[in-house]
Amino acid sequence: MAKVHVLGSGTPTPTPDRFGSSYVIDLGGELVMVDCGPATTHKLAKAGLSATDVSSVFLTHHHFDHNVDLPCYLLVRWDQSTPDTSELEVFGPQPTSAIVAELIGTEGVFRRDIHARIEHPASQRVYTTRGGELPRPWPTWSAQDLVPGDVAERENWTVTTARASHVQPYLDSLAYRFDTPTGSVVITGDTARCAEVTELARGANTLLCCCWDHPDGDEQVDECVAEGMVGNMCGPADAAKIAAEAGVEQLVLVHATPSMARPNSSEKAVRIAEEIFDGTVVFAQEGLAVDI
Ligand SMILES: [Zn+2]
């Protein structure tokens, strides 16, 4: 059965337990990554998953808590790859294609490191010891900028794209639905409750929905709640309303602020969600893996 690993379930505020967003759909041999927030590559290793088993990376939007580990991940995947490793596919809202080229292209900011690893004999030895063949190739990839409504089919999954309601017009934001032979999962990225995301999630098995904070802020008002950010992000009630209206089976609350993640606050979030949504509600800790 396909499962989803919650690698990152925090916000831009680093804490010992949470930092940024990242998820991996595990299809048994093939991994699909959604978002690549802070320390994703390390969290991937901590989950026992291999960077080279990731076939595709999907980015929901270009806030740094969702993409800042992308250069690390791209370089590690290239560095660890062998002739058997598939070419990585990267998807996301514009300008995803340009960002990847600006990182690891021949004119990218990491070109000096890549050039040194290709040319220096010591680096070549490390590479050939791992099974690589000389001459060592420059990283190759395919990247595609997506817009709402785009669909892509691969052997083990089909992805459908919808608009998420977040910080437009400054950044385009997307939600993704993955249909696999053993179940379907929707990952909202950052979004307020909106018709497009609800429609995308209709009839899915599992919904991972951002759950930033309590909209009333209670006594633990986060600085971003005070700035009105919560209007661009679901809290527990809005996440549960999406889950209920879409008829999913399981709601996983992710992307929690430090105040939301405190035990009394997260328990309150689950209670609020369960009053609205009849299915299973999970408040995600980083490292959690759930069956889709
Ligand atoms: Zn965001």
Side-chain angles (χ1 to χ4, degrees), residues 5-84:
H5 297 262
V6 178
L7 300 182
S9 189
T11 66
T13 303
T15 73
D17 301 320
R18 292 172 187 270
F19 192 15
S21 283
S22 183
Y23 316 96
V24 167
I25 301 166
D26 186 343
L27 296 156
E30 179 185 2
L31 306 175
V32 175
M33 180 185 291
V34 179
D35 280 345
C36 196
T40 290
T41 311
H42 187 215
K43 294 172 186 176
L44 191 69
K46 286 172 74 174
L49 303 172
S50 168
T52 53
D53 287 342
V54 175
S55 64
S56 323
V57 174
F58 287 80
L59 300 166
T60 60
H61 64 299
H62 289 292
H63 267 152
F64 78 83
D65 54 320
H66 295 254
N67 73 0
V68 77
D69 207 53
L70 188 61
C72 181
Y73 174 71
L74 293 171
L75 290 163
V76 165
R77 191 185 191 280
W78 171 72
D79 189 46
Q80 300 291 317
S81 66
T82 68
D84 295 333

Side-chain angles (χ1 to χ4, degrees), residues 69-257:
D69 207 53
L70 188 61
C72 181
Y73 174 71
L74 293 171
L75 290 163
V76 165
R77 191 185 191 280
W78 171 72
D79 189 46
Q80 300 291 317
S81 66
T82 68
D84 295 333
T85 305
S86 66
E87 183 174 83
L88 182 68
E89 294 189 281
V90 185
F91 302 87
Q94 60 83 25
T96 295
S97 300
I99 287 172
V100 176
E102 288 164 7
L103 291 171
I104 58 169
T106 52
E107 300 299 320
V109 295
F110 288 95
R111 65 187 182 278
R112 298 167 189 86
D113 179 310
I114 295 168
H115 183 70
R117 284 178 204 277
I118 287 174
E119 297 296 337
H120 195 282
S123 298
Q124 291 176 344
R125 265 198 306 281
V126 171
Y127 178 63
T128 54
T129 300
R130 206 160 40 221
E133 296 170 1
L134 299 177
R136 190 174 190 181
W138 197 272
T140 60
W141 70 92
S142 70
Q144 187 179 343
D145 293 347
L146 299 175
V147 296
D150 278 349
V151 175
E153 286 183 47
R154 296 294 181 271
E155 186 178 350
N156 296 317
W157 47 266
T158 298
V159 65
T160 307
T161 309
R163 178 187 184 276
S165 180
H166 187 38
V167 291
Q168 287 90 339
Y170 300 99
L171 296 173
D172 291 348
S173 301
L174 298 174
Y176 297 113
R177 174 181 178 133
F178 294 87
D179 288 292
T180 80
T182 58
S184 50
V185 59
V186 171
I187 299 178
T188 66
D190 290 357
T191 190
R193 185 163 68 97
C194 63
E196 295 97 323
V197 172
T198 303
E199 202 50 46
L200 183 75
R202 192 162 302 285
N205 297 102
T206 297
L207 170 66
L208 269 67
C209 188
C210 67
C211 183
W212 176 262
D213 214 328
H214 294 290
D216 60 8
D218 56 38
E219 73 282 3
Q220 299 163 342
V221 175
D222 186 89
E223 66 269 24
C224 292
V225 175
E227 290 168 9
M229 275 285 290
V230 82
N232 299 324
M233 300 283 280
C234 288
D238 280 343
K241 287 175 186 170
I242 295 174
E245 289 171 17
V248 304
E249 296 170 5
Q250 176 173 232
L251 170 64
V252 182
L253 301 172
V254 295
H255 203 308
T257 64

